[in-house]
Amino acid sequence: MPRQISQGICTFCHREFSKSAMTRHLETCEQRAVTEAKAGGRRKAQPIRTFHLVVEGRDLPMYWMHLDVTASTTLATLDRFLRDTWLECCGHLSAFEIGGIRYAVDAGMDGGWGMEEKSMQVRLDKVFSPGQSGSYEYDYGTTTELKLKVIAEREVDAKGKAIQVLARNTPPVILCEECGKPATNVCSQCIFDGKGWLCDDCVERHECGEEMLLPVVNSPRVGMCAYTG
Ligand SMILES: [Zn+2]
Ligand SMILES: [Zn+2]
Ligand SMILES: [Zn+2]
Ligand SMILES: [Zn+2]
């Protein structure tokens, strides 16, 4: 895969920025300020604490999201969100690792990981603080690993969803290895050798067979297990 500068779209103003410029943009995005001021004006409530979180594929950092998450929500809710948005194929197990502690979806069962394992039913403000980083894995077999980093903590007047996407990467362009057109399929076998990216025309000639093919989707789980987006 040739190196590309990873770009993403701001949810509020829909402008495109490079991955490295997005954190700064979100701090100064005028449209975001307008949107949040409107939400705050409608009801006067207790200020709500939120964390600005960045998640990205550990081995595929071109897949990334900036999230605004309510501090009182739980790791279990974040797990559910990551599955729904990016990862879920067939109900595999998952776990966070933050500050040397593992928070597993199946905590309590014998994991045998040799480290303390807790439930995901823990509030984010118990585990996150600005600067804190951590990791997440989905599926202990064909694992997709994510990196997490807490960029900042804020207080807002009002908030809709517990987890809001602030920005997300634009789909990287991956080319068909046979003809050079944009790939729309990936072979779930050949991907482990860094190959198997194919356009619709070239899939017919692929030796592994059609049942091995998965659609190219904008997710760090692209081409893994049975993930179709
Ligand atoms: Zn913006
Ligand atoms: Zn699966
Ligand atoms: Zn092709
Ligand atoms: Zn193949």
Side-chain angles (χ1 to χ4, degrees):
M1 218 186 287
R3 263 186 84 84
Q4 302 166 16
I5 293 175
S6 184
Q7 303 277 342
I9 303 279
C10 169
T11 300
F12 302 97
C13 66
H14 308 292
R15 285 165 65 202
E16 191 170 53
F17 295 91
S18 72
K19 185 181 183 189
S20 55
M22 187 58 85
T23 300
R24 216 197 141 120
H25 167 70
L26 286 168
E27 285 167 10
T28 55
C29 176
E30 283 176 28
Q31 198 52 49
R32 180 185 185 188
V34 169
T35 305
E36 290 180 347
K38 265 192 209 148
R42 267 189 259 120
R43 51 192 166 112
K44 280 270 163 279
Q46 289 280 89
I48 299 163
R49 282 173 67 208
T50 69
F51 292 113
H52 179 166
L53 191 67
V54 178
V55 291
E56 65 177 43
R58 192 196 66 173
D59 300 319
L60 296 170
M62 64 287 245
Y63 300 103
W64 50 269
M65 284 190 286
H66 286 252
L67 305 174
D68 191 45
V69 293
T70 307
S72 60
T73 197
T74 62
L75 284 179
T77 304
L78 184 56
D79 175 60
R80 177 47 53 199
F81 173 85
L82 292 171
R83 287 168 178 262
D84 290 348
T85 315
W86 250 9
L87 304 168
E88 186 74 283
C89 50
C90 22
H92 299 282
L93 298 175
S94 59
F96 291 92
E97 203 183 306
I98 301 156
I101 298 171
R102 196 176 161 91
Y103 301 88
V105 79
D106 63 334
M109 290 152 77
D110 183 22
W113 298 95
M115 67 191 295
E116 200 180 349
E117 196 171 89
K118 292 188 173 172
S119 160
M120 282 190 188
Q121 296 296 342
V122 57
R123 282 170 56 123
L124 296 185
D125 52 10
K126 297 276 183 258
V127 294
F128 282 165
S129 54
Q132 177 81 51
S133 56
S135 63
Y136 171 87
E137 58 185 287
Y138 174 75
D139 181 0
Y140 305 160
T142 311
T143 310
T144 298
E145 271 197 71
L146 306 180
K147 288 201 301 190
L148 323 169
K149 187 156 175 81
V150 183
I151 301 285
E153 184 183 337
R154 300 198 310 149
E155 279 197 348
V156 294
D157 286 339
K159 196 159 184 319
K161 286 178 278 183
I163 300 175
Q164 191 191 4
V165 178
L166 301 175
R168 181 175 180 172
N169 73 281
T170 37
V173 178
I174 304 167
L175 301 178
C176 172
E177 65 195 21
E178 300 291 342
C179 72
K181 280 192 282 186
T184 46
N185 304 272
V186 60
C187 173
S188 58
Q189 196 104 318
C190 296
I191 193 171
F192 291 103
D193 301 318
K195 298 185 302 185
W197 301 89
L198 299 157
C199 75
D200 284 341
D201 295 331
C202 296
V203 287
E204 287 162 31
R205 292 188 296 280
H206 188 66
E207 56 201 0
C208 299
E210 213 168 316
E211 66 280 3
M212 289 319 228
L213 297 170
L214 291 169
V216 171
V217 289
N218 188 16
S219 153
R221 196 157 176 77
V222 60
M224 293 294 137
C225 192
Y227 189 68
T228 56

